[in-house]
Amino acid sequence: MPIKAIKGMNDILPEEAELWQWVESEMHRIFGLFHYREIRTPVVESLEVFARSLGSSTSIVEKEMYSFEDRQGKKIVLRPEGTASVMRAYIENHYDQQDPLARLYYHGPMYRYERPQKGRYRQFHQIGVEVIGSEAPMIDAELIHMADYFFKSLGIDDLELEINSLGCMVCRPEFTDKLIAYLTEYKADLCEDCIRRLGKNPLRILDCKQEKCQAVASEAPSIQEFLCQNCEEHFDDVLEGIGRFGSSYAVNTGIVRGLDYYQRTAFEFTTQHLGAQNAVAGGGRYDGLVRLMGGPHMPGVGFAIGVERLVSLLKEKSLTKTDQGSLVFMAAIGTAAGNKAVKLVSELRKQGIRVEMSYDGKGLKSLMKRSDRIGARYTLILGSDELDKGVLAIRDMQEQSQVELPLDDFSSVVTHIQGG
Ligand code: HAM
């Protein structure tokens, strides 16, 4: 029996990894344009980093964490998300003293013991952003716009931005009471999970995917009617800011998010193309979190993008990076040609041209097959005939044409390849 990967954890093979690299390079480029700076934290953290911050009744903490005891009996977990890790690092390194308004981003694997299905895995990857140190609604607007800009830079222009305000510690309790009273009336119509949620996390019932729960939720009181004046103004300003940046949105009072740390702004970017797991990104404001985790009072807001879902969308839409330059295959036949060719390909790579060369002494026919297989645009042919004539044959694999250029005229070889 061959050894298999762990259920819900995927290999990313080279064809797909190219898309991942593209996504990651756009992440660095776009986030850099907004002067967000990268932070890297360990994959493994102490259990307490997540236990309190995410909320004891959230499904992640209740049943989805990969937790272990290390050799000294310390409880550790594979991080289920990035926000709490970043807050831990922020507090531990007193980062507020270095940068009173920290704009941070990160990327890497996260782990949740969920039931695997399309778009939902046990190891998945996030690209995340956190801004710590400001309550200004324009910060929310800027980072939402940055996410929108990032998606568009990859060619994805049809995501829906759904946004809501979850209120704050002042106004949410009254809403929660009203919601519980309403939902209790319709308890018999709720699914088993929601009946359980009713006592612990009633807001989550509003985004249950079960049809019968959605019917109940559609008539439920709306948080929008309970927002205090501060929260209402904040939300209005966030929406206005998003508009000012030129991004569009839809207010959806069903966006409640699955983690307890959120206050005020909550949002998701959703798609019609991926079936049930339709959230490509989610985020919101968490003004009490740094304090809750033992740090100073620092407001914060952020989001995370699911990279597997994003890459599925790119594949679905056949979007790929276009400006990689021509791929070249060096077909050298015989030892003398091979030695000469090694120098030539090194020079080509210095010019930024991608080259693969074969070293296993095969004949022209099999070398041409390899060139075809890797999708090379040009095959450079150097055998004893070419060496005798002092030329390099360049075969254009698309046009099915061939030219010979002087072997010592390196710059015309480069020009020919880069012109194609
Ligand atoms: P989240 O909504 O739990 O938020 O996850 C963000 C995104 O990660 C989701 O929209 C989805 O695309 C992806 N995702 C989540 N779980 C899985 C899974 N099992 N398989 C594949 N993709 C998944 C957070 O994690 C927050 N930390 C976001 C945040 C940052 N809020 C403020 N700052």
Side-chain angles (χ1 to χ4, degrees), residues 118-396:
K118 186 176 180 287
R120 200 209 272 157
Y121 310 104
R122 289 182 174 170
Q123 175 185 271
F124 61 99
H125 295 72
Q126 287 186 342
I127 288 176
V129 162
E130 315 294 348
V131 180
I132 313 160
S134 173
E135 276 187 50
M138 280 309 281
I139 293 286
D140 307 40
E142 180 191 81
L143 70 81
I144 288 170
H145 164 65
M146 186 170 82
D148 186 36
Y149 191 62
F150 171 66
F151 292 131
K152 288 187 175 140
S153 82
L154 296 167
I156 298 172
D157 54 8
D158 59 352
L159 293 184
E160 177 134 31
L161 165 59
E162 301 184 58
I163 188 163
N164 191 19
S165 174
L166 300 177
C168 64
M169 290 311 152
V170 175
C171 53
R172 197 178 323 153
E174 192 192 342
F175 166 67
T176 311
D177 286 349
K178 288 274 169 17
L179 184 64
I180 293 174
Y182 166 82
L183 292 170
T184 308
E185 231 176 282
Y186 294 94
K187 195 169 167 179
D189 300 331
L190 298 174
C191 73
E192 245 173 67
D193 275 346
C194 284
I195 292 175
R196 213 167 37 81
R197 285 176 186 137
L198 190 52
K200 292 179 165 182
N201 207 346
L203 249 67
R204 281 317 306 261
I205 299 174
L206 299 178
D207 78 348
C208 178
K209 300 279 183 287
Q210 299 269 345
E211 231 170 80
K212 55 183 187 175
C213 301
Q214 282 184 352
V216 175
S218 67
E219 300 294 320
S222 158
I223 176 81
Q224 295 290 329
E225 291 153 27
F226 292 83
L227 294 181
C228 59
Q229 200 185 343
N230 285 345
C231 285
E232 199 179 322
E233 280 173 16
H234 193 274
F235 190 50
D236 287 348
D237 291 347
V238 171
L239 298 183
E240 201 190 309
I242 296 171
R244 211 174 296 147
F245 274 119
S247 298
S248 48
Y249 59 83
V251 173
N252 177 353
T253 55
I255 298 291
V256 292
R257 311 284 299 126
L259 305 160
D260 278 5
Y261 52 59
Y262 291 112
Q263 291 183 29
R264 294 190 167 169
T265 316
F267 59 92
E268 286 177 1
F269 283 89
T270 55
T271 174
Q272 312 283 342
H273 299 286
L274 296 181
Q277 304 306 319
N278 66 347
V280 180
R285 187 161 269 288
Y286 46 81
D287 291 344
L289 182 57
V290 179
R291 192 47 158 310
L292 179 72
M293 291 182 69
H297 173 71
M298 276 290 182
V301 57
F303 67 80
I305 298 167
V307 184
E308 280 78 2
R309 294 184 193 176
L310 180 60
V311 168
S312 291
L313 260 187
L314 294 175
K315 287 207 266 189
E316 168 97 21
K317 293 167 169 281
S318 307
L319 292 165
T320 47
K321 187 179 177 182
T322 47
D323 61 346
Q324 291 204 67
S326 304
L327 177 62
V328 170
F329 183 71
M330 179 77 234
I333 305 130
T335 313
N339 292 344
K340 185 99 190 149
V342 167
K343 288 212 176 74
L344 181 66
V345 298
S346 301
E347 288 305 318
L348 289 173
R349 290 183 188 128
K350 278 189 201 155
Q351 299 298 316
I353 295 169
R354 296 183 300 148
V355 193
E356 178 179 313
M357 178 169 165
S358 162
Y359 303 100
D360 50 16
K362 288 195 172 141
L364 185 60
K365 202 167 157 204
S366 98
L367 291 174
M368 293 308 285
K369 235 184 178 169
R370 173 71 191 165
S371 184
D372 236 5
R373 178 182 190 113
I374 65 168
R377 174 70 206 276
Y378 295 104
T379 310
L380 309 185
I381 303 164
L382 193 61
S384 50
D385 283 359
E386 285 79 15
L387 272 186
D388 288 347
K389 285 201 277 177
V391 297
L392 176 73
I394 304 181
R395 182 155 186 80
D396 187 325

Side-chain angles (χ1 to χ4, degrees), residues 47-67:
L47 176 69
E48 63 249 43
V49 170
F50 304 101
R52 209 159 20 132
S53 56
L54 307 191
S56 56
S57 60
T58 56
S59 24
I60 296 183
V61 173
E62 264 188 348
K63 53 184 196 279
E64 292 171 3
M65 278 213 280
Y66 276 90
S67 50

